[in-house]
């Protein structure tokens, strides 16, 4: 019975992601095709391994958080704004476990990507994995929280894009949350941990609160 | 059995449901009412989709629901969409395929099982919605405007299907089309402005209008008085007549055979 429950859980996630059609593959495209090309291009441009290491660190902060919203926002679109929402709500209350599982599944891909960087070119980014996790989780939680409130996926998606562009253009070191433009890679463990732990905690609290809005029409 | 007791629901100042009480036993019930009468709101309350005041008791029975608007992940194959609902309804995995086949055959869609939902026509999507509602053999099934978008053949098929699955179940079909319910429903519930106006069998509904339906020559329109409603204008033997529902007898008129629609209109118009 318990196994049946878990199988059902996985099956639902599989079918949900299946329902995305071709756009399901977008994160793969960014993580495993765009990222290596960007790193290689930076190496060709600068002929410097150090610069390539730094620029890849920055690219990871640009790509990983933003793409984290893809599967959860577009995959679960039907639950948020689709015409099937009413029927789905009758049979299923709460989609938080599924969403978090999909996010963790996504983050597993980032771990694989970091492992590939480590294995193929010797760039070790595992020390910053907490930063990538927090940033990705913040994007994931923010986009869904907003989607639950406004019952729409386009608005959070556009806001995430605008924020991403803003961060790229603002060159503000104060934007520690997504500090893709911060001049230095944190060398101290505290730089990796703070302020990200607060941000992570905030979004861990925010998501379930906004999710409460999901359960009623 | 489904019991609704003093159900109330307001949207700001508008009362969508006002002290609605009703007992639905096993059988097929037609929920008839004009647009905005509270049919959909009542169904949503039964499904616990919206907050409400009052009490709804379905004794823990499984509920199948077809909402007014239904559409699902367009990139999924129809069979996978059904599998999705089968999983949501916790139908054991080994039984799922057989159950999906049964439901798709009932709505005449099994040959489309491998087609993507996005490639189906509006009527087919509606039928797939009906199929998901009956999936898992729920004891209480709610259909909200199930025949909207169905062609006459599929409409007839739906009615036949209702009859075949209706035993030992409580099925509520919400509609404003009288002909949709008169052929299949055991009882009709008339709802207006959130209140239950009448509940009874087809004959009992038709009886509301007995001795109240008249054919009046058009030239006598001016003599109509009291509480009346001109339902139709018809031509018979070259003469133009009004089909009138009236609470008082009309002189120079021909008594007409009242039907369910007349009864429904009389209940709505307080004739």
């Amino acid at each position: 019975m318990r196994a049946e429950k878990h199988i059902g859980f996985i099956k639902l996630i599989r079918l949900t992601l299946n329902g995305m059609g071709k756009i399901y593959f977008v994160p793969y495209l960014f993580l495993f095709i765009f990222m290596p090309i960007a790193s290689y291009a930076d190496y060709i441009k600068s002929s410097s391994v150090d610069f390539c290491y730094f620029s890849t660190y920055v690219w990871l902060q640009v790509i990983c958080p933003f793409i984290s919203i893809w599967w959860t926002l577009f995959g679960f679109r039907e639950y948020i704004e689709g015409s099937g929402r009413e029927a789905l709500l009758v049979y299923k209350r709460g989609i938080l476990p599924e969403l978090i599982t999909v996010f963790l599944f996504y983050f597993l891909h980032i771990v694989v990507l970091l492992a590939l960087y480590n294995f193929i070119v010797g760039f070790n980014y595992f020390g910053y994995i907490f930063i990538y996790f927090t940033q990705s989780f913040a994007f994931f939680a923010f986009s869904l929280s907003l989607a639950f409130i406004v019952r729409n996926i386009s608005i959070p998606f556009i806001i995430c894009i605008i924020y991403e562009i803003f961060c790229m253009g603002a060159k503000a070191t104060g934007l520690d949350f997504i500090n893709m433009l911060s001049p230095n890679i944190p060398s101290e463990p505290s730089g990796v941990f703070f302020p990200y732990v607060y941000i992570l905690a905030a979004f861990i609290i925010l998501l379930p609160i906004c999710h409460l809005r999901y359960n009623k029409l | 059995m489904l019991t609704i007791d003093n159900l109330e629901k307001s949207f700001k100042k508008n009362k969508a449901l006002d002290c609605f009480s009703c007992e639905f036993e096993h059988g097929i019930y037609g929920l008839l009412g004009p647009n905005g009468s509270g049919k959909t709101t009542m169904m949503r309350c039964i499904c616990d989709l919206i907050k409400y005041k009052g009490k709804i008791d379905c004794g823990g029975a499984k509920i199948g629901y077809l909402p007014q608007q239904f559409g699902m992940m367009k990139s999924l194959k129809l069979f996978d969409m059904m599998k999705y609902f089968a999983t949501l309804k916790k139908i054991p995995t080994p039984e799922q395929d057989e159950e999906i086949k049964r439901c798709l055959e009932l709505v005449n869609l099994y040959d489309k099982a491998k087609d993507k939902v996005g490639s189906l026509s509006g009527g087919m999507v509606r039928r797939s919605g009906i199929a998901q509602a009956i999936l898992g053999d729920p004891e209480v099934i709610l259909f909200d405007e199930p025949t909207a978008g169905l062609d006459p053949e599929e409409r007839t098929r739906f009615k036949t299907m209702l009859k075949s699955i209706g035993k030992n179940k409580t099925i509520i079909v919400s509609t404003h089309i009288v002909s949709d319910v008169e052929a299949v429903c055991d009882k009709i519930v008339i709802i207006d402005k959130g209140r239950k106006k009448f509940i009874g069998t087809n004959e009992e509904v038709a009886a509301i209008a007995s001795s109240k339906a008249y054919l009046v020559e058009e030239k006598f329109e001016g003599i109509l008085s009291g509480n009346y409603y001109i339902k139709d204008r018809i031509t018979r033997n070259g003469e133009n007549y009004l089909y009138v529902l009236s609470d008082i007898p009309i002189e120079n008129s021909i008594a007409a055979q009242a039907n369910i629609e007349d009864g429904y209109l009389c209940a709505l118009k307080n004739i």
Side-chain angles (χ1 to χ4, degrees), chain A residues 1 4-5 7-9 11-22 75-79 82-93 98 215-217, chain B residues 40 44 47-51 63-76 80-81 83-85 87-94 96 116 132-133 144:
Chain A
M1 194 66 192
E4 179 75 25
K5 194 180 161 189
I7 290 167
F9 182 79
K11 199 192 279 179
L12 271 187
I13 290 175
R14 185 183 67 79
L15 286 169
T16 304
L17 295 178
N18 229 357
M20 293 177 75
K22 286 176 187 139
F76 289 82
R77 179 183 166 275
E78 208 66 53
Y79 285 88
S83 48
R85 174 177 153 76
E86 206 172 325
L88 289 168
L89 261 176
V90 175
Y91 311 124
K92 181 151 185 63
R93 291 296 162 95
E98 286 81 1
N215 279 330
K216 294 281 179 191
L217 275 180
Chain B
T40 299
R44 285 177 174 169
C47 293
D48 197 27
L49 290 172
I50 48 177
K51 286 178 186 166
I63 292 179
Y65 177 51
L66 170 70
Q68 217 171 63
Q69 288 188 330
F70 177 80
M72 269 292 283
M73 300 151 179
K74 293 182 172 58
S75 298
L76 275 186
D80 285 339
M81 186 203 84
K83 204 147 208 166
Y84 202 98
F85 279 100
T87 310
L88 284 177
K89 291 186 172 192
K90 297 184 174 65
I91 298 170
T93 309
Q96 283 186 3
K116 287 194 173 172
Q132 67 76 22
D144 197 355

Side-chain angles (χ1 to χ4, degrees), chain B residues 89-151:
Chain B
K89 291 186 172 192
K90 297 184 174 65
I91 298 170
T93 309
E95 297 165 24
Q96 283 186 3
D97 287 7
E98 200 54 40
E99 177 63 5
I100 291 167
K101 188 180 174 210
R102 179 187 76 86
C103 295
L104 287 179
E105 277 175 347
L106 273 172
V107 296
N108 196 26
L109 272 182
Y110 189 63
D111 58 328
K112 300 280 180 192
K114 288 184 178 170
D115 289 10
K116 287 194 173 172
V117 177
S119 71
L120 301 178
S121 69
M124 287 175 184
V125 172
R126 197 76 196 136
R127 275 146 61 197
S128 71
I130 295 169
Q132 67 76 22
I134 60 175
L135 197 66
D137 214 16
E139 294 94 345
V140 176
I141 310 177
L142 310 171
F143 292 112
D144 197 355
E145 309 276 3
T147 54
L150 297 190
D151 60 40

Side-chain angles (χ1 to χ4, degrees), chain B residues 31-48:
Chain B
L31 188 63
L32 271 181
N35 292 332
S37 58
K39 304 186 295 291
T40 299
T41 305
M42 196 185 90
M43 293 209 159
R44 285 177 174 169
C45 289
I46 295 171
C47 293
D48 197 27

Side-chain angles (χ1 to χ4, degrees), chain B residues 20 28 43 108 137 152 178 193 208 219 241 271:
Chain B
F20 188 98
I28 305 170
M43 293 209 159
N108 196 26
D137 214 16
V178 179
K193 292 172 187 152
I208 302 172
K219 59 187 176 190
Y241 285 90
I271 294 169

